Amino acid sequence: MKKTLLSLTVAAGILASAPAQAAEKLTVLLDWFTNPDHAPVITAQTKGFFEAEGLDVELIEPADPAMPPKLVAAGQGDIAISYQPTLHAHIEEGLPVARIGTLVETPLNSLIVLKDGPIKDLKDLKGKTIGFSVSGFEDAMLGQMLKSVNLTMDDVELINVNFALSPSLMSGQVDAVIGAYRNFELTQIAIEGKEGKAFFPEENGVPIFDELIYVVNKDKTDDPRFEKFMAAIEAATIYLTNHPDEAWNAFIEAYPHLNDELNRRAWKDTLPRFAKRPAALDAGRYQRFAEFMAEAGLISKVVPVDTYAVEIR
């Protein structure tokens, strides 16, 4: 990136002596309630990296997790945190959005079973029950994982457990759950005194994809504030990588209600998965995943990557 990044040990207070300039306001719509998945964004806020770029960033939790990209498309927000699979679906629908950066560069989604249960390998899912929360992409992901061991969706029974993935698994209501996050549900199960085992889609037939991304209105990708935003995110991510404990302390100072064992473990588990070059675009990855989505029937056609994803320079 062209911009000079702030020294990674500088805190926000040191910047106060710089000449006062009006900060540019920017709204970021989160994909969910604030949690460790958002660590680079929160670190950029708490440690002064946004301020160093001359940005006044407002972070907004959504009332409806499905709305942030739609609000950005409608001009009712600047940046939304979303998911790569969702981006492809929105492009199919004609929503005017585009990806400008990556937050979490590997899948977090997984299929989880109890380690001491009957499922030791994916092929053991034959005849078993699998809990899910949201159909669509998770069905396609599960179908591809089953296909990798010569099974089909007809070989398993799907049960909608709403969002009670961990409880339904631990209670024996289902034999496995799909759509569970490896950095949260596995820890939640461990805290409850059991041990889970995750099967990763990217190791079982599903093309690797970015779990969390930054999207903006397609017609506004050249907004100069976005370059500043991505510069701050990159600096914050490197700071977070080098100083995870200091960043965690700033996080819980800003959000004290999140200071618990689950979030503390999730913070460490998610750390390796943040994009160290968040503005960089792997066009091949997006092309391959779009082709997977098309083959699964989730989108009708594969469009050029440069029509919905850009690299901020």
Side-chain angles (χ1 to χ4, degrees):
M1 299 180 68
K2 292 180 180 179
K3 302 195 66 63
T4 300
L5 300 181
L6 175 67
S7 171
L8 300 180
T9 56
V10 176
I14 298 177
L15 302 171
S17 60
Q21 294 182 350
E24 297 178 278
K25 293 187 178 297
L26 191 72
T27 58
V28 176
L29 310 179
L30 304 180
D31 61 300
W32 196 247
F33 300 114
T34 305
N35 65 75
D37 288 350
H38 307 133
V41 182
I42 303 302
T43 300
Q45 186 82 296
T46 58
K47 304 304 291 185
F49 295 105
F50 285 144
E51 184 180 353
E53 293 292 337
L55 295 177
D56 178 9
V57 176
E58 180 183 10
L59 305 179
I60 301 174
E61 295 179 341
D64 178 353
M67 289 305 294
K70 298 176 182 178
L71 292 172
V72 164
Q76 298 180 35
D78 297 311
I79 298 174
I81 294 177
S82 189
Y83 309 82
Q84 185 183 340
T86 302
L87 172 64
H88 293 285
H90 283 159
I91 298 306
E92 171 81 3
E93 297 167 6
L95 201 69
V97 291
R99 170 260 182 222
I100 63 164
T102 300
L103 172 53
V104 175
E105 65 182 359
T106 73
L108 296 177
N109 218 317
S110 63
L111 183 145
I112 291 179
V113 301
L114 292 180
K115 191 169 184 178
D116 61 358
I119 301 170
K120 308 302 182 184
D121 188 86
L122 284 177
K123 64 178 182 293
D124 298 328
L125 287 170
K126 185 177 177 62
K128 299 297 193 295
T129 56
I130 302 177
F132 73 97
S133 297
V134 182
S135 60
F137 170 65
E138 289 181 4
D139 292 348
M141 181 173 65
L142 175 60
Q144 188 66 26
M145 294 176 74
L146 292 173
K147 183 179 178 181
S148 72
V149 291
N150 298 314
L151 297 179
T152 71
M153 296 289 277
D154 292 334
D155 290 314
V156 299
E157 179 185 356
L158 294 180
I159 298 178
N160 190 333
V161 297
N162 294 314
F163 289 97
L165 293 172
S166 296
S168 66
L169 179 62
M170 290 186 290
S171 67
Q173 180 184 351
V174 294
D175 299 304
V177 290
I178 188 72
Y181 271 23
R182 63 193 72 173
N183 60 333
F184 274 95
E185 269 77 11
L186 277 178
T187 298
Q188 189 175 36
I189 291 170
I191 290 174
E192 295 295 328
K194 294 181 179 292
E195 188 174 359
K197 176 181 179 179
F199 294 95
F200 304 137
E202 70 273 20
E203 294 181 356
N204 294 280
V206 180
I208 193 167
F209 58 93
D210 295 339
E211 186 71 47
L212 290 173
I213 58 176
Y214 304 101
V215 301
V216 302
N217 186 294
K218 183 179 180 179
D219 298 325
K220 299 179 180 179
T221 56
D222 59 351
D223 188 323
R225 294 175 300 166
F226 298 157
E227 182 179 352
K228 298 176 182 179
F229 176 83
M230 295 312 305
I233 291 297
E234 181 172 325
T237 304
I238 300 304
Y239 177 90
L240 172 65
T241 302
N242 292 340
H243 309 282
D245 293 337
E246 291 88 338
W248 164 255
N249 290 334
F251 177 80
I252 60 173
E253 182 177 351
Y255 301 93
H257 64 286
L258 298 180
N259 187 11
D260 58 31
E261 185 65 16
L262 176 60
N263 285 297
R264 188 159 36 252
R265 292 195 198 182
W267 183 271
K268 294 181 179 179
D269 291 341
T270 315
L271 187 63
R273 303 187 179 277
F274 295 122
K276 304 301 187 294
R277 298 176 60 229
L281 172 64
D282 185 339
R285 172 180 291 193
Y286 278 71
Q287 178 70 20
R288 290 187 294 271
F289 194 75
E291 292 170 355
F292 164 75
M293 296 270 290
E295 291 172 4
L298 296 175
I299 58 177
S300 63
K301 61 182 179 180
V302 176
V303 300
V305 173
D306 61 9
T307 64
Y308 62 86
V310 301
E311 190 168 66
I312 298 294
R313 296 183 182 276

